[in-house]
Amino acid sequence: MSLNSSNEDVRALRDEVARLTKIVSSQSARAYSDTLDKASEAYEAAAPYAKKAVSQVKAEGRAVADVAREHPTGIASVVVLATAIGVAVGYILASSSEPEPRSWWR
């Protein structure tokens, strides 16, 4: 194998690598652009629904706050009742998942 032949092989490999790099770069740019376009379309489609949901949550929050101001004892009763139910459910779950007693010979 001659030195001239090796240089030509190396040059051919460099040319091929440069060509492949350009192809990959072009495809990556195209994929990025496509993904960006799709994300933009998804955002534009979802934005009105998100705005509507935010306004509904704000309205519900205001309604709950108004009810709480008008009926503070009723809200307190609901909170106490929900706490009692939570404690009862927690106690039942905890007592039903007790480990079995250990045997004496272990």
Side-chain angles (χ1 to χ4, degrees):
M1 185 184 241
S2 72
L3 186 60
N4 198 15
S5 173
S6 294
N7 286 340
E8 289 177 16
D9 290 343
V10 169
R11 192 172 309 125
L13 284 173
R14 283 184 184 161
D15 291 344
E16 185 65 19
V17 168
R19 186 181 72 79
L20 291 173
T21 301
K22 286 180 184 178
I23 291 171
V24 169
S25 176
S26 172
Q27 289 177 347
S28 297
R30 196 172 323 130
Y32 174 76
S33 177
D34 291 347
T35 302
L36 189 61
D37 290 344
K38 288 179 184 177
S40 177
E41 290 171 7
Y43 175 77
E44 289 174 8
Y49 296 111
K51 288 178 183 177
K52 185 176 178 182
V54 167
S55 66
Q56 286 178 342
V57 168
K58 285 180 180 179
E60 290 295 322
R62 274 188 241 114
V64 168
D66 291 343
V67 169
R69 269 189 236 102
E70 292 174 11
H71 307 288
T73 55
I75 296 298
S77 299
V78 168
V79 170
V80 169
L81 180 62
T83 302
I85 291 171
V87 168
V89 168
Y91 178 77
I92 291 169
L93 291 175
S95 65
S96 69
S97 64
E98 288 183 21
E100 293 185 25
R102 296 185 112 187
S103 299
W104 288 98
W105 62 80
R106 277 192 183 173

